[in-house]
Amino acid sequence: AKSTVRPCALCVCNPELNIHDACLLSLQVKPGDATLTQQVPEILFPWRSVVVRGDGTLRRVKRDWVIPPINVPENSRGQFPEDLVRIRSDRDKNRMLRYSVTGPGADQPPTGIFIINPISGQLSVTKPLDREHISNFHLRAHAVDLNGNQVENPIDIVINVIDQNDNRPEFTHSIFNGSVPEGSKPGSFVMTVTAVDKDDPKTANGMLRYKILSQNPQSPSSNMFTINNKTGDIITVAAGLDREKVTQYTLIIQATDMEGNPTYGLSNTATTVIRITDVNDNAPEFTTETFFGEVHENRVNVIVANLTVTDKDQPHTPAWSAVYRIIAGDPTGRFSIPTDPTTNEGLLTVVKPIDYESTRSFMLTVEAENEVTLVRGIHLPRQSTATVSVRILDLNESPEFRPNPKSMRLEEGLSAGSMLTTFTAQDPDRYMRQTIRYSKMYDPANWLEINPANGQISTIAILDRESPYIKNNHYNVTFMASDNGTPPASGTGTLQIYLTDINDNAPHVFPPEVEMCERPEPNALNLTASDPDLSPNAGPFAFELANRPLDVRRNWTLHRLNGEHAQLRLRIGFLASGLYEVPITITDSGNLPMSNTSYLRVKVCQCDHHGDCVDMERIIAAGLGTGAIIAILICIIILLVLVLLFVMWMKRRDKERQAKQLLIDPEDDVRDNILKYDEEGGGEEDQDYDLSQLQQPDALEPECVKVGIRRLDERPLHHDHQYPLRSAAPHPGDIGDFIHEGLKAADNDPTAPPYDSLLVFDYEGSGSTAGSLSSLHSSSSCGDQDYDYLGDWGPRFRKLADLYGGGDD
């Protein structure tokens, strides 16, 4: 039961000098223990070696020593602080030393995990360690004397935290999702599940093993999948995956550490959902062998029939979507079958017009396939082909003009009543006996008419190529043919007439008006001719001055420049300003030439040095027009009216302001004024006043009354009062009776309105000794009253104090 010390097995001894340089390991047997336990190792600090000098003496020198790491298990449950190692210097025999450690875990964060006894050098750990948080610590041990001087070089101490199996495996996801195509062969890869363990992966604590605990559903086999116990790869092990039977499988996967040891290992589970993806292993099948439909003739983009199929593959996928194809019965391509993406139905549609008289029915053979090809080994069944019977319904078709449009060439000038051609239409309904009637729809010049029964077209006016309705020598007329079917049908046809030109228009001079200076040198006028006919019925032209009047050839000369132009000049040197008409005869070059005498209007005027007219008419023409002048005058009148209205408004405003002003400035007005605040009292019952304190004006002494001058803003006195005369109050000082009598008189007044109204008390009675209240002043007999306090109420009351308290003056 006693402690015994034995040489440390890790001690390194010097083989030459037989001196222990490393450490001693003390082993003790605790009381009550039956086994030996490893006790605290001791590190000799520093290490020294003895060398022989040249003179034969011995000397110790320092040399480095690698301290093996100290292993400390994590999650220790021992008593703390728990001793780890003792650090000692061989110089502690001669002096007192102090030991310390530095580094993360000691004096650096996380601080306080390792402590050292400064005297004994005992290194201890103060709390349980967590390898998953910090796997090792690097400390440095120091030895100093009492003065803080470094005695030895610092040595490094590495403390490794030994892992324990204290963490369960954790899957990276609680639910893993994977997929595999249906019909996959055994050994097909599906997915990988992954779990992690925070314990040391280099030890069994962090080595995981996977296995499948359960499969749901267990169809067609309970072991459709297997998992690689080391990598977590899930693969198929059985055939028979069919999405149409089982759409997905749910697997419970377990991960166990300690290399899968069920006794000592910790485990965890996760859920894996494997979705069986669809492949095109089912062909579309028609719901019936024969479909029926009907459509009216000449209709396009009309759905004839809806072709329905069933497909067991996943809806709205390429393996489910059907593609329809007509394989027989439609050689001219009059039908197509697009697919409805929602219902997957085939919509048999007419894309080209069908003539009932040509074909009355169709028998189509239709095949249905998927957008993607079927998987290998599966072929189209017989149900993927169907027959569609289409019946064509007859309609009353419109009559058709043939040819349409119809062209013809005519010479203009054809007289009215001439028969041109016959323009008829045929009825496509060969099996219906119907009558066709003709009418005119569009004839802008109203030149033609058509026979309603036989379609003969004749003229009702002369055809004129120079008409504004002619475009590029063409004239178009539209006719309509209508049958008597039920309902009636009609068609239109166009007759195009090309009109050739004849010489039916005489030329005339152009331009019709020109200007010329009084002294034309070297001025001359260039003229041409205008003829609506075409060549050769137009130019070249012959120009000639008319013989009449005689002064034309005396004053003017006409010189032909070419077949299209001529030049007009003055024969005399000066011509007075004015307007002259010069007759010019022009002859065209038609087969039957046509001549015409046109009058050229020549305006002769005074010209400036540039040769431009400067007469007053030209200046006026270049100025403002009549409309602009009228607009300017209207604007001026409106502006004057606005100014006048503004002046009148200003004058009216000044008059109103003057009428409101008082004769006396409000600052100099010393009288009391009645101010209206738009407020009413609570009524007579709420006002319990002692009216006996009021004094009637009759009770005042005569010498205290002074008749003043009435202001202009006072209400004027009226001589004819509507109120009856009232007797004086029974007591001179009781004005309450006076007011009550006034109220009684108003109630008995036959002229008062039958509703509550304002009672005016401005009537003071006849023969009153009191004047206007505004004219009251104090006399010498009223000198017993003190009015000096009024001076403290402001400038207005200060004037009252001067009037009533200022003495006789």
Side-chain angles (χ1 to χ4, degrees), residues 2 32 56 91 251 274 290 294 316 468 484 506 551 591 627 760 767:
K2 294 182 180 180
R91 292 191 178 186
L251 307 180
I274 301 175
T290 305
E294 58 184 21
H316 307 289
N484 59 349
D551 58 347
N591 189 15
V760 181

Side-chain angles (χ1 to χ4, degrees), residues 348-375:
L348 181 62
T349 307
V350 180
V351 294
K352 294 182 180 180
I354 302 175
D355 187 10
Y356 172 82
E357 285 71 25
S358 300
T359 305
R360 298 188 180 186
S361 64
F362 289 87
M363 188 65 66
L364 308 177
T365 302
V366 181
E367 182 182 69
E369 296 177 342
N370 292 121
E371 292 182 358
V372 295
T373 59
L374 293 171
V375 295

Side-chain angles (χ1 to χ4, degrees), residues 136-426:
N136 53 66
F137 297 87
H138 294 266
L139 306 178
R140 302 201 78 184
H142 305 269
V144 297
D145 58 14
L146 296 180
N147 295 326
N149 298 321
Q150 178 176 318
V151 178
E152 306 288 352
N153 290 332
I155 62 173
D156 294 331
I157 301 176
V158 178
I159 300 175
N160 290 331
V161 183
I162 304 303
D163 183 43
Q164 292 184 354
N165 191 18
D166 57 345
N167 291 280
R168 291 181 177 274
E170 295 290 340
F171 283 93
T172 56
H173 300 87
S174 59
I175 298 178
F176 292 86
N177 293 287
S179 63
V180 62
E182 61 176 333
S184 296
K185 297 179 180 181
S188 300
F189 174 79
V190 180
M191 60 184 299
T192 300
V193 295
T194 304
V196 294
D197 196 319
K198 296 180 181 179
D199 292 326
D200 190 356
K202 297 179 181 179
T203 65
N205 298 333
M207 296 181 181
L208 306 181
R209 296 295 183 266
Y210 301 93
K211 71 175 181 177
I212 299 175
L213 296 182
S214 65
Q215 170 192 309
N216 184 34
Q218 298 181 2
S219 173
S221 171
S222 60
N223 296 316
M224 297 296 295
F225 305 93
T226 185
I227 188 171
N228 187 310
N229 64 346
K230 292 183 179 181
T231 63
D233 294 341
I234 299 177
I235 60 176
T236 60
V237 294
L241 293 176
D242 190 354
R243 191 204 65 85
E244 287 72 37
K245 296 180 179 179
V246 179
T247 59
Q248 70 178 24
Y249 290 88
T250 302
L251 307 180
I252 304 299
I253 309 298
Q254 182 186 63
T256 307
D257 58 14
M258 298 298 291
E259 298 181 299
N261 190 320
T263 303
Y264 303 104
L266 302 177
S267 61
N268 210 339
T269 60
T271 301
T272 300
V273 178
I274 301 175
R275 183 172 54 89
I276 309 302
T277 58
D278 187 37
V279 298
N280 192 17
D281 57 347
N282 294 278
E285 299 180 358
F286 285 99
T287 56
T288 182
E289 294 182 356
T290 305
F291 295 89
F292 298 92
E294 58 184 21
V295 63
H296 289 90
E297 63 174 335
N298 300 324
R299 297 288 180 87
V300 293
N301 298 325
V302 177
I303 298 176
V304 179
N306 289 27
L307 312 181
T308 57
V309 296
T310 59
D311 196 318
K312 297 179 181 179
D313 291 322
Q314 185 176 358
H316 307 289
T317 62
W320 174 81
S321 299
V323 177
Y324 299 88
R325 185 165 53 94
I326 301 175
I327 59 178
D330 184 23
T332 57
R334 298 183 181 275
F335 298 92
S336 69
I337 310 178
T339 304
D340 188 334
T342 303
T343 62
N344 209 26
E345 294 180 350
L347 308 178
L348 181 62
T349 307
V350 180
V351 294
K352 294 182 180 180
I354 302 175
D355 187 10
Y356 172 82
E357 285 71 25
S358 300
T359 305
R360 298 188 180 186
S361 64
F362 289 87
M363 188 65 66
L364 308 177
T365 302
V366 181
E367 182 182 69
E369 296 177 342
N370 292 121
E371 292 182 358
V372 295
T373 59
L374 293 171
V375 295
R376 183 178 300 179
I378 299 179
H379 304 282
L380 281 175
R382 183 180 57 83
Q383 292 81 1
S384 296
T385 304
T387 301
V388 183
S389 176
V390 180
R391 185 166 64 95
I392 309 302
L393 304 179
D394 189 20
L395 283 178
N396 183 21
E397 299 178 76
S398 302
E400 298 177 356
F401 284 92
R402 295 178 183 176
N404 189 18
K406 183 176 182 179
S407 301
M408 62 183 307
R409 188 182 185 94
L410 296 176
E411 189 179 73
E412 69 169 330
L414 194 64
S415 62
S418 303
M419 208 280 287
L420 301 182
T421 185
T422 300
F423 196 19
T424 58
Q426 289 75 36

Side-chain angles (χ1 to χ4, degrees), residues 742-807:
L743 178 62
K744 182 177 179 182
D747 293 338
N748 296 328
D749 186 8
T751 62
Y755 47 83
D756 292 341
S757 61
L758 180 64
L759 181 59
V760 181
F761 285 93
D762 61 347
Y763 177 66
E764 298 180 355
S766 60
S768 175
T769 59
S772 175
L773 293 178
S774 62
S775 62
L776 293 178
H777 73 284
S778 298
S779 63
S780 60
S781 61
C782 301
D784 56 346
Q785 300 186 25
D786 186 9
Y787 297 99
D788 294 338
Y789 65 90
L790 295 177
D792 300 333
W793 290 8
R796 298 193 180 189
F797 292 95
R798 189 177 296 111
K799 293 184 179 181
L800 287 176
D802 295 340
L803 290 175
Y804 288 94

Side-chain angles (χ1 to χ4, degrees), residues 687-723:
Q687 300 175 358
D688 189 10
Y689 298 132
D690 185 6
L691 299 179
S692 63
Q693 301 300 324
L694 299 177
Q695 293 184 355
Q696 188 175 357
D698 294 336
L700 297 175
E701 296 181 5
E703 54 271 22
C704 296
V705 178
K706 179 181 179 181
V707 179
I709 299 176
R710 184 173 62 87
R711 297 190 318 182
L712 293 178
D713 61 337
E714 293 179 356
R715 187 169 182 175
L717 299 176
H718 299 281
H719 299 286
D720 297 332
H721 300 282
Q722 299 297 328
Y723 298 98

